[in-house]
């Protein structure tokens, strides 16, 4: 910590702790990116978060909030100050009548599920993991797999967000509604979400079944109940076998039932598959055979083979992500799914005429499975400005997962993802914000998101100096100016990316403007930035589109 920062820590609210440590290494869950923030800060109260924001403003630092780091992209990388809310994770209130639960934003979904269970409640829907914080899950558009549910933020009734001027502002569908729509998928670029009120449901159990199914049958059933007969449905597609594991789940009152144990679904299978994937780094042509082997030892070869179980709702919707991985997931209209799967299947199996994808698949081999999931937010109100789902009907998510055995990048990933993204764009697709994507620019984002300008307007008003903005945001959503003139004073820019020892990349950033105007504690933020503050704190009245 430099001398100026140490001085300001003592001056700004000296009775409020500043729980910061240097020399922290940030690592994404997948080990795809590493960065070394100047300070790693874990506040335990709203007052401490307010002090962090005030100090960042005075010391000219960017703030990045991170939970489990499950996004494999550089979204959470910083060389400035990193804030983690794991110690800011209490349940604040539970309304038994309305089932609305209010919580501090750092609570992880796993802990939230346990706390809700104590009150006979549950989250109505979950993604594949529960390691994320509630704020992180909201901010990136996390979803499950059900046409009866939308993205997780659909259940958020209101929230509070700490802005760059230190104001902890409340918003909901009928109060500061534009801020609410921006914050429901904020990408961490508006402020620090401090409090979330969430519509829970009665606790439930899930009875699930998974069965090996020919791809032809999946496509045949596509518009005949595949996605609507059960509350939850997801498909794991094996492209070389041209088969899939179809997983379905429904709420039940049946007693808990542990699925049949198999060594190939436990430690033996985990390590065997990992070793086989590693060998295939040098002999990629083995991957179709590895796919067949892994499925045969887990399910057999007969169509309809599989198993079932009954679990608590908070665990029954989860899946094991296994190893470090790239995840490139896009959302397209559900009705375009059969064409997308047919063309991608043809391309991966060498049928370029059917695929009509202008890149060669020769000598390219990928990992299984390709994950196929759904949701429906078309009736949800209000929609986040940056919601990537189809506004006119159900959404299909295609997730082209590639494992990184022992943290080594697969040799196929750039060409595969170029072809995959080309097809997704032709299908009118939008990438999942928290995943890996490469062939996307801010221009493409603005073309695909009619409300992007509204999100940008709110973002500029609540954070005019870019305290919460980094290179990732500039690359994918903020207007691009190669001259650099449009960069904000506290916006962090990437200056170096180099291969890390053991895999992944070390990321280094800088804030070009951070030394230009350090603010002394005696000086008033309102006086120094009067025009910006006046714009950013006008939330005492409704901030709707027609205000």
């Amino acid at each position: 910590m430099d001398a100026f920062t140490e001085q300001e820590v003592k001056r700004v609210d000296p009775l409020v702790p500043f729980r910061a440590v240097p020399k922290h290494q940030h690592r994404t869950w997948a080990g795809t990116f590493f960065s070394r923030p100047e300070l790693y800060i874990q506040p335990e109260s709203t007052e401490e978060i307010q002090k962090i924001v005030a100090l960042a403003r005075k010391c000219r630092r960017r703030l990045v909030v991170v939970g489990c780091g499950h996004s494999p992209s550089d979204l959470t990388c910083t060389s400035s100050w990193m804030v983690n809310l794991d110690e800011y994770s209490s349940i604040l209130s539970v309304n038994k009548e309305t089932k609305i639960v209010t919580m501090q934003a750092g609570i992880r979904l796993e802990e939230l599920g346990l706390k809700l269970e104590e009150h006979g409640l549950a989250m109505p829907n979950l993604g594949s993991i529960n390691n994320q914080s509630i704020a992180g899950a909201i901010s990136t558009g996390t979803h499950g797999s059900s046409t009866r549910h939308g993205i997780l933020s659909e259940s958020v009734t209101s929230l509070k967000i700490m802005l760059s001027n230190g104001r902890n502002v409340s918003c909901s569908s009928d109060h500061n509604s534009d801020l609410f729509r921006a914050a429901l998928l904020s990408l961490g670029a508006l402020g620090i979400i401090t409090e979330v009120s969430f519509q829970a449901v009665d606790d439930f159990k899930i009875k699930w079944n998974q069965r090996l199914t020919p791809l032809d049958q999946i496509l045949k059933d596509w518009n005949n109940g595949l996605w609507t007969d059960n509350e939850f449905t997801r498909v794991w597609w094996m492209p070389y076998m041209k088969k899939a594991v179809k997983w379905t789940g429904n709420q039940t009152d049946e007693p808990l039932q542990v699925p049949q144990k198999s060594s190939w679904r436990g430690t033996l299978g985990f390590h065997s598959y990992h070793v086989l994937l590693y060998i295939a780094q040098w002999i990629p042509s083995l991957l179709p055979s590895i796919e067949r082997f892994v499925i045969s030892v887990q399910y057999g070869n007969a169509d309809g083979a599989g198993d079932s179980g009954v679990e608590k709702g908070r665990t029954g919707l989860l899946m094991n992500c296994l190893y470090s991985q790239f995840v490139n997931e896009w959302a397209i209209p559900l009705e375009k799914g059969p064409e997308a799967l047919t063309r991608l299947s043809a391309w991966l199996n060498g049928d370029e005429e059917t695929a009509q994808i202008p890149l060669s698949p020769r000598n390219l081999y990928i990992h299984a499975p390709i994950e196929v999931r759904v949701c429906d937010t078309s009736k949800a109100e209000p929609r986040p400005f940056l919601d990537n789902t189809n506004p006119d009907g159900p959404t299909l998510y295609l997730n082209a997962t590639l494992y990184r055995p022992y943290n080594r990048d697969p040799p196929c990933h750039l060409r595969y993802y170029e072809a995959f993204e080309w097809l997704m764009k032709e299908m009118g697709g939008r990438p999942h914000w928290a995943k890996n994507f490469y062939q996307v620019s801010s221009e493409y984002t603005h073309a695909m998101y009619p409300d992007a300008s509204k999100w940008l307007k709110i973002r500029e008003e609540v954070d005019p100096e870019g305290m919460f903005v980094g290179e990732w945001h500039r690359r994918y959503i903020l207007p691009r100016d190669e001259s650099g003139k449009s960069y904000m004073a506290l916006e962090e820019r990437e200056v170096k990316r180099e291969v890390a020892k053991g895999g992944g990349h070390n990321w280094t950033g800088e804030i070009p403007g951070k030394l230009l105007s350090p603010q002394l504690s005696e000086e008033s933020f309102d006086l120094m930035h009067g025009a910006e503050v006046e714009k950013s704190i006008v939330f005492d009245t409704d901030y709707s589109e027609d205000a």
Side-chain angles (χ1 to χ4, degrees):
M1 192 184 304
D2 62 67
F4 181 81
T5 302
E6 287 185 355
Q7 172 183 285
E8 290 305 303
V9 168
K10 295 174 183 177
R11 287 179 171 177
V12 176
D13 296 325
L15 298 181
V16 176
F18 184 64
R19 306 175 197 274
V21 296
K23 299 180 180 179
H24 174 83
Q25 184 185 57
H26 169 62
R27 176 189 189 276
T28 60
W29 175 86
T32 45
F33 283 96
F34 303 85
S35 66
R36 291 189 177 275
E38 179 186 4
L39 292 178
Y40 181 75
I41 315 166
Q42 289 190 297
E44 297 181 7
S45 69
T46 305
E47 292 75 20
E48 290 180 37
I49 297 174
Q50 202 159 27
K51 179 170 181 172
I52 293 167
V53 171
L55 286 169
R57 190 172 65 239
K58 296 173 187 299
C59 299
R60 317 311 286 156
R61 297 300 196 271
R62 177 196 176 199
L63 294 178
V64 176
V65 182
V66 65
C68 68
H70 205 267
S71 171
S73 75
D74 59 322
L75 174 61
T76 55
C77 288
T78 185
S79 296
S80 189
W81 291 2
M82 180 170 285
V83 180
N84 173 269
L85 300 180
D86 281 352
E87 303 303 322
Y88 186 78
S89 56
S90 298
I91 298 291
L92 300 177
S93 66
V94 178
N95 188 315
K96 292 292 184 68
E97 293 183 3
T98 64
K99 302 183 179 67
I100 291 177
V101 181
T102 301
M103 66 208 74
Q104 292 176 327
I107 192 168
R108 300 291 182 98
L109 299 188
E110 180 179 14
E111 182 184 1
L112 175 58
L114 291 169
K115 295 289 187 182
L116 291 176
E117 188 177 67
E118 294 175 3
H119 296 277
L121 299 173
M123 298 179 68
N125 188 23
L126 277 169
S128 297
I129 63 167
N130 60 1
N131 307 102
Q132 314 108 304
S133 67
I134 186 67
I138 292 168
S139 296
T140 53
T142 297
H143 63 91
S145 191
S146 171
T147 54
R148 304 180 196 178
H149 299 279
I151 60 178
L152 262 61
S153 64
E154 187 177 67
S155 297
V156 175
T157 59
S158 66
L159 54 80
K160 289 184 179 179
I161 182 168
M162 184 83 67
L163 305 180
S164 63
N165 58 18
R167 297 289 185 93
N168 199 25
V169 177
S170 299
C171 55
S172 65
S173 60
D174 53 14
H175 177 64
N176 295 329
S177 58
D178 275 7
L179 177 63
F180 186 57
R181 293 182 67 187
L184 284 177
L185 210 161
S186 71
L187 303 176
L190 304 182
I192 300 176
I193 295 176
T194 58
E195 190 175 299
V196 177
S197 292
F198 193 90
Q199 180 66 65
V201 297
D202 290 328
D203 198 10
F204 61 91
K205 291 177 286 186
I206 283 284
K207 180 176 183 178
W208 56 263
N209 289 273
Q210 54 185 15
R211 294 287 179 262
L212 193 61
T213 307
L215 179 60
D216 287 345
Q217 189 64 48
I218 295 291
L219 296 177
K220 181 180 178 181
D221 294 341
W222 196 272
N223 296 316
N224 295 298
L226 174 65
W227 304 110
T228 55
D229 284 353
N230 300 277
E231 183 175 1
F232 302 97
T233 304
R234 58 189 174 204
V235 170
W236 294 297
W237 168 31
M238 315 302 160
Y240 299 115
M241 296 178 68
K242 297 185 178 180
K243 293 188 178 185
V245 175
K246 182 177 74 171
W247 185 99
T248 60
N250 293 285
Q251 296 188 33
T252 183
D253 293 325
E254 294 182 22
L256 297 176
Q257 175 191 330
V258 178
Q260 185 176 353
K261 291 185 177 181
S262 165
S263 58
W264 284 104
R265 295 184 191 175
T267 303
L268 176 61
F270 177 89
H271 291 292
S272 298
Y273 188 29
H274 208 180
V275 169
L276 290 171
L277 290 171
Y278 187 71
I279 293 171
Q281 294 282 91
W282 284 270
I283 317 174
S285 59
L286 289 175
L287 285 170
S289 297
I290 292 172
E291 177 185 299
R292 295 183 184 97
F293 170 74
V294 169
I295 293 300
S296 67
V297 296
Q298 290 195 63
Y299 297 96
N301 295 308
D303 294 339
D307 61 356
S308 60
V310 177
E311 296 183 56
K312 294 180 178 180
R314 61 180 174 82
T315 60
L317 296 172
L318 307 177
M319 62 169 284
N320 187 344
C321 292
L322 296 178
Y323 323 112
S324 170
Q325 57 194 248
F326 290 123
V327 280
N328 194 337
E329 183 177 62
W330 285 61
I332 64 175
L334 182 61
E335 66 267 20
K336 294 186 178 182
E339 179 187 350
L341 267 65
T342 298
R343 291 174 63 184
L344 186 57
S345 177
W347 190 79
L348 292 170
N349 288 282
D351 182 358
E352 296 181 59
E353 183 177 351
T354 300
Q356 293 295 299
I357 296 174
L359 290 102
S360 173
R362 291 177 189 135
N363 299 318
L364 181 141
Y365 300 92
I366 69 162
H367 301 155
I370 298 172
E371 188 178 34
V372 187
R373 293 186 289 170
V374 293
C375 83
D376 190 352
T377 63
S378 59
K379 298 180 179 63
E381 288 294 341
R383 285 176 60 85
F385 287 137
L386 295 183
D387 190 341
N388 73 335
T389 60
N390 177 18
D392 302 316
T395 295
L396 175 74
Y397 291 97
L398 277 181
N399 184 4
T401 299
L402 286 173
Y403 293 117
R404 302 177 63 249
Y406 301 103
N407 296 318
R408 300 298 178 182
D409 294 352
C412 67
H413 81 283
L414 291 178
R415 180 155 52 112
Y416 174 38
Y417 282 169
E418 184 178 0
F420 177 70
E421 292 186 25
W422 187 93
L423 178 61
M424 292 298 97
K425 285 182 177 181
E426 188 167 86
M427 298 282 103
R430 300 171 176 175
H432 188 302
W433 291 108
K435 306 299 174 68
N436 299 103
F437 46 92
Y438 301 88
Q439 311 298 316
V440 175
S441 64
S442 59
E443 290 78 14
Y444 180 82
T445 299
H446 286 265
M448 294 306 297
Y449 289 85
D451 288 333
S453 60
K454 297 177 182 178
W455 184 88
L456 283 172
K457 179 176 181 290
I458 292 293
R459 208 227 67 76
E460 290 166 3
E461 290 175 344
V462 300
D463 181 25
E465 291 195 301
M467 181 185 290
F468 301 101
V469 169
E471 186 73 30
W472 187 97
H473 301 99
R474 181 64 63 183
R475 188 187 311 141
Y476 294 123
I477 183 67
L478 298 182
R480 194 77 181 179
D481 181 355
E482 296 301 331
S483 71
K485 294 179 181 178
S486 67
Y487 281 80
M488 292 168 279
L490 300 184
E491 178 179 344
E492 188 173 14
R493 301 177 68 172
E494 179 180 343
V495 295
K496 186 189 298 182
R497 181 183 300 200
E498 53 191 6
V499 176
K501 184 178 180 181
H505 287 85
N506 289 321
W507 189 99
T508 304
E510 69 173 8
I511 304 171
K514 78 175 183 180
L515 299 178
L516 298 179
S517 54
Q519 180 190 357
L520 299 179
S521 58
E522 294 88 348
E523 296 175 308
S524 164
F525 178 68
D526 287 20
L527 290 175
M528 293 222 17
H529 304 280
E532 288 84 356
V533 172
E534 185 177 357
K535 289 189 295 182
S536 68
I537 64 173
V538 183
F539 291 108
D540 294 329
T541 57
D542 183 43
Y543 205 86
S544 59
E545 293 179 2
D546 56 357

